[in-house]
């Protein structure tokens, strides 16, 4: 979606629409009118025409940071606005999905378009529960993507339908293309899991498992590796702005057994981690991490959180 001013010609009148107030909670859309595309433009009678500014931050299913809109007229003559917004998981404004696209009807009042009335509350619609996978039927899912440049050499899909990743010497902090494949988080609450069937770390630099990635500084890795004593362990490592790094590990009783890893986001801002060796039940890790470590407000960008798989020999 284009973030610059937009110019519309409706019934011979020219409207210049733009965003203001920054891209945080004060974000809003304003509009001006003129009889000529060259101006001069004067403010329309009703402004802003879209905002969620000054609303109760604890309102349910809140949409914040609304702005950067486009206007469109459908074939039936009805007008709509498509704009960007954020669905935080709590009143503190932190989120994990970044900026998302919303659609809302437009009303024409006093000769101008109005997207939201003063004080009108937009409610983010939650998706129904669904299952998704990064790969199926011998190919990657359409929702799968890579960090930076697509690299086909580090992954492959086997005859039995399993996915293979080749660990690279690229770490997440290297600002290069690591061996990672993921999808966007589309809700604040989710479960993600993987089974590692054929991975034997040789040193503490080798790790493979699950990844939550906001950017090079803000990410969480939950994987199988070796510690400084040469023991095979599962380890959670959380990194965030300001060098924040939290770690927890558990020694595996059978390093050769298949290993299942699971991350759960509770939708209220907490990530928890669990592992299972072979056919055993899941054992929770002691460490839980706040989702705010990877949020828009912390990382300073709007891309959201990548959920995926990661393999490296450079940790």
């Amino acid at each position: 979606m284009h973030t610059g001013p937009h110019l519309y010609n409706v019934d011979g009148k020219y409207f210049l629409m733009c965003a203001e107030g920054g891209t945080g909670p004060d974000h809003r859309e304003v509009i001006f009118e003129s009889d000529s595309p060259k101006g001069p433009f004067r403010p329309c009678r009703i402004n802003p025409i879209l905002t969620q500014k000054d609303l109760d931050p604890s309102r349910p299913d809140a949409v914040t940071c609304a702005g950067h809109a486009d206007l469109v007229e459908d074939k039936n003559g009805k007008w709509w606005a498509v704009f960007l917004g954020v669905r935080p998981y709590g009143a503190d404004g932190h989120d994990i999905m970044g900026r998302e696209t919303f659609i809302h009807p437009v009303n024409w009042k006093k000769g101008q378009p109005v997207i939201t009335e003063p004080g009108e509350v937009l409610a983010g619609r939650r998706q129904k529960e669904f299952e998704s996978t990064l790969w199926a039927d011998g190919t990657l899912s359409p929702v799968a993507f890579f960090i930076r440049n697509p690299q086909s050499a580090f992954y492959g899909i086997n005859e039995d339908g399993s996915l293979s990743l080749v660990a690279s010497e690229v770490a997440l902090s290297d600002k290069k293309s690591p061996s990672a494949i993921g999808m966007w988080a589309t809700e604040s609450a989710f479960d993600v899991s993987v089974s590692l069937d054929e991975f034997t770390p040789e040193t503490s630099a080798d790790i493979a498992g699950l990844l939550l990635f906001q950017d090079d500084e803000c990410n969480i890795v939950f994987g199988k590796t070796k510690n400084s004593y040469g023991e095979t362990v599962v380890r959670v490592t959380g990194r965030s702005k300001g060098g924040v790094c939290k770690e927890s590990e558990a020694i595996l009783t059978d390093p050769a057994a298949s290993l299942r890893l699971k991350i759960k986001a509770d939708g209220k801002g907490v990530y928890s981690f669990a592992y299972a060796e072979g056919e055993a039940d899941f054992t929770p890790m002691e460490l839980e991490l706040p989702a705010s470590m990877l949020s828009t407000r912390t990382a300073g960008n709007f891309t959201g959180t990548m959920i995926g798989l990661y393999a490296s020999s450079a940790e």
Side-chain angles (χ1 to χ4, degrees):
M1 179 176 291
H2 196 284
T3 58
H6 293 188
L7 183 64
Y8 303 90
N9 181 1
V10 182
D11 297 332
K13 184 182 290 187
Y14 293 88
F15 293 93
L16 184 65
M17 188 177 73
C18 61
E20 67 175 23
T23 50
D26 291 338
H27 202 34
R28 51 193 178 269
E29 199 79 13
V30 294
I31 197 162
F32 305 82
E33 62 183 15
S34 176
D35 296 325
S36 167
K38 298 181 180 181
F41 285 88
R42 57 188 177 274
C44 289
R45 293 180 176 85
I46 303 172
N47 267 314
I49 61 172
L50 166 66
T51 190
Q52 294 293 276
K53 179 179 179 291
D54 296 330
L55 298 179
D56 182 0
S58 62
R59 63 193 185 277
D61 299 325
V63 176
T64 65
C65 312
H68 286 153
D70 274 322
L71 300 177
V72 63
E73 183 183 16
D74 67 22
K75 64 181 181 180
N76 298 317
K78 185 174 178 61
W79 284 81
W80 300 87
V82 181
F83 56 93
L84 298 181
V86 172
R87 288 186 293 157
Y89 55 74
D92 59 5
H94 287 287
D95 72 273
I96 69 169
M97 281 93 69
R99 299 177 75 175
E100 301 177 288
T101 304
F102 295 81
I103 187 170
H104 193 69
V106 173
N107 294 316
W108 284 81
K109 293 188 174 183
K110 298 181 180 181
Q112 68 158 95
V114 177
I115 303 171
T116 55
E117 302 288 344
E120 181 179 350
V121 176
L122 298 173
R125 182 178 299 175
R126 300 181 185 181
Q127 298 184 80
K128 295 181 180 179
E129 290 188 8
F130 66 97
E131 292 186 1
S132 183
T133 181
L134 285 175
W135 74 96
D137 301 325
T139 187
L140 291 181
S141 166
V143 302
F145 66 93
F146 305 91
I147 297 174
R148 296 186 176 87
N149 298 324
Q151 301 286 338
S152 60
F154 73 80
Y155 79 91
I157 299 177
N158 306 315
E159 292 184 359
D160 63 0
S162 62
L163 179 73
S164 294
L165 291 184
V166 177
S168 73
E169 295 183 357
V170 176
L172 295 175
S173 59
D174 287 341
K175 294 180 171 57
K176 296 180 181 179
S177 300
S179 295
I181 305 175
M183 64 178 70
W184 292 119
T186 57
E187 291 293 333
S188 295
F190 63 83
D191 292 330
V192 57
S193 62
V194 68
S195 176
L196 299 179
D197 296 326
E198 296 181 9
F199 174 65
T200 303
E202 296 180 357
T203 72
S204 59
D206 301 331
I207 188 167
L210 294 173
L211 171 67
L212 301 181
F213 182 87
Q214 171 67 238
D215 62 22
D216 305 301
E217 295 180 84
C218 301
N219 51 73
I220 296 171
V221 175
F222 180 36
K224 181 180 181 181
T225 184
K226 281 185 178 291
N227 62 19
S228 58
Y229 299 99
E231 299 164 318
T232 303
V233 299
V234 286
R235 179 185 296 147
V236 178
T237 302
R239 300 179 179 88
S240 192
K241 289 287 188 180
V244 176
C245 183
K246 298 181 179 180
E247 285 191 342
S248 178
E249 65 180 38
I251 299 173
L252 296 175
T253 58
D254 185 0
S258 63
L259 178 67
R260 288 171 289 152
L261 303 173
K262 180 168 65 175
I263 301 176
K264 179 180 179 63
D266 67 356
K268 300 177 182 179
V270 177
Y271 293 131
S272 58
F273 310 86
Y275 67 97
E277 299 181 65
E279 299 300 320
D281 293 335
F282 276 96
T283 299
M285 298 289 289
E286 293 183 357
L287 180 66
E288 293 184 337
L289 292 176
S292 60
M293 293 180 68
L294 312 186
S295 75
T296 296
R297 292 187 62 183
T298 300
N301 56 58
F302 295 92
T303 55
T305 302
M306 172 191 185
I307 306 170
L309 305 175
Y310 173 60
S312 175
S313 58
E315 285 292 313

